[in-house]
Amino acid sequence: MERPPVSVLLPTTTWTPACRQVAEQLRDDDELLVLPDHESDPVAKQTGLPPSVSVIPAGDPDGCSGKANAIDVGMERARHDRIVWTDDDFEHPPDWLDQLSADYDRQGPVSEVPFFRGRDALSVLLEPTNVFGGTLTTWAADIPWSGSVIFERGDLEVDAFRADLTRTISDDGTLDEHLDVTSIRRVHEVSAGGTIDESLERFVRFIKIVRFHGPGITVFNALALFALTALLVLYPVLTTVGVTLSYGLVYAAFGIRRWTFLLAVPATVVNLPLFAYALGRRTFVWGGRRYRWRSMFDVEVVE
């Protein structure tokens, strides 16, 4: 079945199995733009790449995150109107690109949704609340996820979008400000964390993204955490059963077969102090760089 050619943007510093999987799905006119930071990154030295794959070092960011900078360079260099963003940390099924493009033909801009599977004690503990915030909310609110989103240049004001992208942190949060998407209930499992420090930094970054892109949601989340904690104190048995069953139903609705929904109550309790901690943090680390994010368009790369 014929489809328009696609430009796939993939920020990464190493050639992962995901890179190979996407490259194998390209048709004759498609292109994969692999976007590391520097020519010294391992992926820039990858040999044997097909002509449809280009490695384009984006350089160091100035006033934005490294990923936002890479996506901006990719948007500038992409040859085609139909554009896909993806990440290097999850499995891409053999029909992923064709299926995503067919979804666009039916519905316009679309995005799939992530499930963040923990790789350390803290990220495993936080899995239930990540399923609520990262999977359910992303789908229900039609929030684009940069791991798997497709759109065309005509669907947004590209110049205005790129101008915002190069002065902020979150690439998909900024895309959400400029593009209306339909989220599809098709889940990709993404490895999260690795060490407790990495998971903590990831948590801080996510909370700050919601703070700046959805301040009302931040207030709601804080109130909800307080309310659930109070209910657990006042009605411990009933609330524990209700919360655990609710998360179990969300897991089932998205086909997530993990025992970690049983951690719903401790995850909720731990989220309250972590939430306060994240809001109070002045800097956070992402991809080897430390950022100070003062307001939506006030970003300092500290180191």
Side-chain angles (χ1 to χ4, degrees):
M1 180 176 172
E2 292 298 321
R3 61 165 172 77
V6 175
S7 294
V8 183
L9 312 187
L10 200 167
T12 186
T13 58
T14 59
W15 184 262
T16 68
C19 300
R20 174 184 52 78
Q21 292 162 1
V22 175
E24 290 174 350
Q25 297 180 39
L26 300 177
R27 298 193 182 186
D28 291 341
D29 294 331
D30 294 337
E31 63 175 357
L32 169 60
L33 305 185
V34 178
L35 304 162
D37 290 333
H38 308 112
E39 292 183 357
S40 60
D41 288 328
V43 73
K45 302 173 184 177
Q46 184 74 23
T47 59
L49 299 179
S52 55
V53 178
S54 300
V55 179
I56 304 173
D60 289 318
D62 181 14
C64 67
S65 68
K67 189 174 182 186
N69 182 60
I71 289 291
D72 176 63
V73 171
M75 291 291 295
E76 179 183 28
R77 298 287 293 273
R79 292 188 292 113
H80 302 307
D81 287 333
R82 186 166 292 191
I83 295 174
V84 170
W85 294 2
T86 194
D87 291 333
D88 68 345
D89 54 2
F90 66 92
E91 293 288 323
H92 293 67
D95 62 345
W96 170 78
L97 189 55
D98 285 344
Q99 190 172 47
L100 203 60
S101 195
D103 291 332
Y104 181 91
D105 290 335
R106 288 190 297 269
Q107 303 183 65
V110 297
S111 177
E112 298 176 312
V113 294
F115 159 58
F116 297 108
R117 179 170 179 152
R119 295 193 300 156
D120 60 82
L122 180 58
S123 58
V124 169
L125 174 61
L126 295 177
E127 269 187 32
T129 47
N130 282 337
V131 167
F132 184 87
T135 307
L136 175 62
T137 302
T138 298
W139 170 74
D142 287 326
I143 298 171
W145 169 51
S146 62
S148 185
V149 61
I150 184 170
F151 58 94
E152 292 189 350
R153 293 184 187 273
D155 296 323
L156 73 166
E157 294 290 338
V158 175
D159 290 342
F161 165 67
R162 289 184 57 200
D164 285 350
L165 188 64
T166 53
R167 55 194 182 123
T168 194
I169 289 289
S170 176
D171 50 319
D172 38 17
T174 305
L175 185 63
D176 188 37
E177 302 281 347
H178 290 263
L179 179 72
D180 292 327
V181 305
T182 299
S183 290
I184 298 171
R185 196 168 64 182
R186 195 159 56 230
V187 180
H188 293 286
E189 183 179 292
V190 180
S191 295
T195 68
I196 290 177
D197 283 345
E198 289 172 343
S199 294
L200 193 58
E201 296 296 331
R202 184 188 187 98
F203 185 89
V204 172
R205 171 164 53 94
F206 282 4
I207 293 300
K208 289 191 179 294
I209 288 172
V210 177
R211 174 191 173 189
F212 290 121
H213 287 278
I217 297 175
T218 299
V219 173
F220 173 83
N221 287 343
L223 294 175
L225 286 172
F226 274 112
L228 281 174
T229 303
L231 287 172
L232 284 167
V233 172
L234 296 172
Y235 310 102
V237 176
L238 184 62
T239 305
T240 295
V241 172
V243 169
T244 304
L245 286 177
S246 297
Y247 276 94
L249 290 173
V250 174
Y251 272 57
F254 286 92
I256 299 169
R257 298 184 177 182
R258 285 279 283 168
W259 61 271
T260 50
F261 75 92
L262 296 172
L263 298 174
V265 169
T268 299
V269 172
V270 167
N271 255 262
L272 188 56
L274 286 180
F275 189 85
Y277 169 78
L279 289 177
R281 277 278 300 269
R282 299 182 63 184
T283 66
F284 61 91
V285 176
W286 183 20
R289 293 186 175 94
R290 182 174 294 277
Y291 299 95
R292 182 175 287 112
W293 193 7
R294 300 183 184 91
S295 64
M296 178 78 84
F297 300 122
D298 185 358
V299 176
E300 178 187 357
V301 184
V302 179
E303 58 183 53

